[in-house]
Amino acid sequence: MTPPRLLIPILSACNFLIGVGAFVIVGVLEPLGADFGITPASAGTLMTAYALGYAVLSPVLVALTGAVGRRRVMAFGLSLFLAAALLSALAPNMIVLSIARIMAAAGAGMFTPVAAAVAAALYPVEMRARVLAAVFFGLTLAQVVGVPAGSWIAYTFGWRWAFWVVVVLALPALALIWTFVPRGLSFQPVSLRDLGGVLRNGRMMLAVLFTGTFLGAIYVLYTYIAPLLSETMGYGRDGVTLVLAIFGVGAVIGNIAGGFLADRIGWAKTLTLLCICQIVLMPLFSLLPQSDLAVILLALGWATSGWAFMAGQQMRLIGLSGPQAPVVLALNAAAIYVGAAVGSALGGWVIDSFGIIYVGLAAGIGSALALLHLSLSIKRSPTPQTA
């Protein structure tokens, strides 16, 4: 089947929405915590709730809907995401907000892996990393526009308005999927049996879980970047928003560069290089305060090397998994949020035990462990599967 002309931009736009809804919590921890009378570390458990919800529900839901039309699955996922954003905006307490975050994770966990599998299947192998990078461009664009804008809105009008923006964006996204994604996209269906088979494949799971190790190290720091900047640099609304925007610019650069780099030098060298960059850069945040220019350059380099990761890892997993790619990509997406959950929890523990200034050092140690994990998973790489 010839790919629809607007398919990739539409999938990217929907991933932008999901990125805003998923990561806006990072920029609203302080006003949300103030509203509910809790600390930023306690508010950070909302990221953990979303992450664990995604990790558990995404692979199961993708497997259960394996025989359902791809358009219907993506439309239902976005509808659930919209409902969760509405509930978040109206949540009277942390319990309801946590439930809403789990709902949002379920919706995103149905949409994003299926979108990646559809895009990968419709384009030739030599274009795969670039196409996947384009699909996930929306997630990185959310770092540039969505998270800083959500932070500014939360500090200015209240954190609930950040979720109302997600509700408004979800309506046209849902219409685009239903209108432009063609019916009858034919792929080999997957099932719970396929999920069980992948889960029992130790070598495949070792490769998948590298995603969690790499991103878990990043989230030790990223979840608490706003309160860290407030405490060490004295930044308020505008300063935090600016650094998040710079981080987003780096994320976009990294997303694009990661696809080209993986196509050019291969996923193994790409992922190794990115681990080394994170080991070097993240501990520097434990040396704050520094000059404003130094903070901006550090955030730019950190984001560029961190967000260059996804295209190479997905290129790797699709090549290894063959017809089981939808399930493996769902597990990979789940690993993102396992990493986010564990990283956020570890970051909160570091803050409570040692102080917020140590989250950068802890994140760097986590990246060193990610490099060891990568080396082991390369040595024990599974045999590539074919259809």
Side-chain angles (χ1 to χ4, degrees), residues 90-146:
L90 299 173
N93 53 50
M94 279 287 289
I95 294 175
V96 175
L97 188 53
S98 296
I99 293 171
R101 298 302 291 162
I102 294 171
M103 285 176 55
M110 294 177 71
F111 180 88
T112 298
V114 172
V118 166
L122 289 177
Y123 286 85
V125 173
E126 62 271 16
M127 295 179 61
R128 190 167 285 166
R130 279 169 285 174
V131 167
L132 288 170
V135 170
F136 279 84
F137 176 77
L139 287 174
T140 53
L141 186 62
Q143 303 295 323
V144 178
V145 179

Side-chain angles (χ1 to χ4, degrees), residues 2-334:
T2 302
R5 186 175 181 181
L6 294 177
L7 179 63
I8 299 304
I10 288 171
L11 296 180
S12 185
C14 292
N15 272 329
F16 170 80
L17 161 70
I18 287 172
V20 173
F23 300 118
V24 71
I25 286 293
V26 172
V28 306
L29 285 184
E30 288 198 298
L32 188 151
D35 188 25
F36 285 143
I38 58 177
T39 65
S42 297
T45 60
L46 290 169
M47 191 70 222
T48 304
Y50 182 96
L52 290 177
Y54 197 117
V56 172
L57 295 173
S58 178
V60 174
L61 291 173
V62 168
L64 286 174
T65 58
V68 180
R70 302 295 82 186
R71 182 178 72 158
R72 293 190 178 208
V73 173
M74 288 190 283
F76 181 78
L78 280 182
S79 298
L80 186 58
F81 196 82
L82 188 160
L86 180 61
L87 182 60
S88 296
L90 299 173
N93 53 50
M94 279 287 289
I95 294 175
V96 175
L97 188 53
S98 296
I99 293 171
R101 298 302 291 162
I102 294 171
M103 285 176 55
M110 294 177 71
F111 180 88
T112 298
V114 172
V118 166
L122 289 177
Y123 286 85
V125 173
E126 62 271 16
M127 295 179 61
R128 190 167 285 166
R130 279 169 285 174
V131 167
L132 288 170
V135 170
F136 279 84
F137 176 77
L139 287 174
T140 53
L141 186 62
Q143 303 295 323
V144 178
V145 179
V147 174
S151 176
W152 188 89
I153 290 169
Y155 277 94
T156 305
F157 303 107
W159 63 269
R160 296 179 189 275
W161 282 99
F163 286 104
W164 283 115
V165 170
V166 175
V167 172
V168 171
L169 290 175
L171 293 171
L174 182 58
L176 284 170
I177 288 295
W178 196 254
T179 302
F180 288 98
V181 176
R183 297 175 60 185
L185 289 176
S186 180
F187 299 101
Q188 181 173 332
V190 294
S191 65
L192 287 174
R193 179 177 295 180
D194 294 299
L195 174 59
V198 174
L199 289 173
R200 289 191 297 271
N201 186 333
R203 289 173 179 257
M204 182 66 77
M205 290 307 300
L206 187 65
V208 169
L209 289 175
F210 169 68
T211 295
T213 310
F214 183 89
L215 293 179
I218 290 176
Y219 273 88
V220 170
L221 173 59
Y222 182 58
T223 302
Y224 303 101
I225 190 63
L228 174 65
L229 293 171
S230 295
E231 181 168 321
T232 59
M233 298 295 295
Y235 288 168
R237 180 195 67 186
D238 295 341
V240 169
T241 300
L242 175 61
V243 173
L244 288 174
I246 294 298
F247 183 94
V249 171
V252 169
I253 295 171
N255 182 79
I256 296 171
F260 282 98
L261 194 63
D263 279 334
R264 189 173 184 86
I265 68 173
W267 60 263
K269 291 181 180 178
T270 298
L271 297 179
T272 300
L273 175 63
L274 297 179
C275 283
I276 293 171
C277 288
Q278 295 297 295
I279 292 169
V280 172
L281 292 173
M282 288 198 291
L284 298 179
F285 281 92
S286 288
L287 300 179
L288 297 179
Q290 299 292 330
S291 69
D292 293 334
L293 178 60
V295 172
I296 288 173
L297 292 176
L298 180 57
L300 183 65
W302 173 39
T304 299
S305 56
W307 281 85
F309 157 83
M310 190 54 68
Q313 174 69 344
Q314 290 198 114
M315 176 184 180
R316 170 195 191 187
L317 296 177
I318 289 171
L320 294 173
S321 58
Q324 293 179 320
V327 167
V328 171
L329 288 174
L331 287 168
N332 183 59

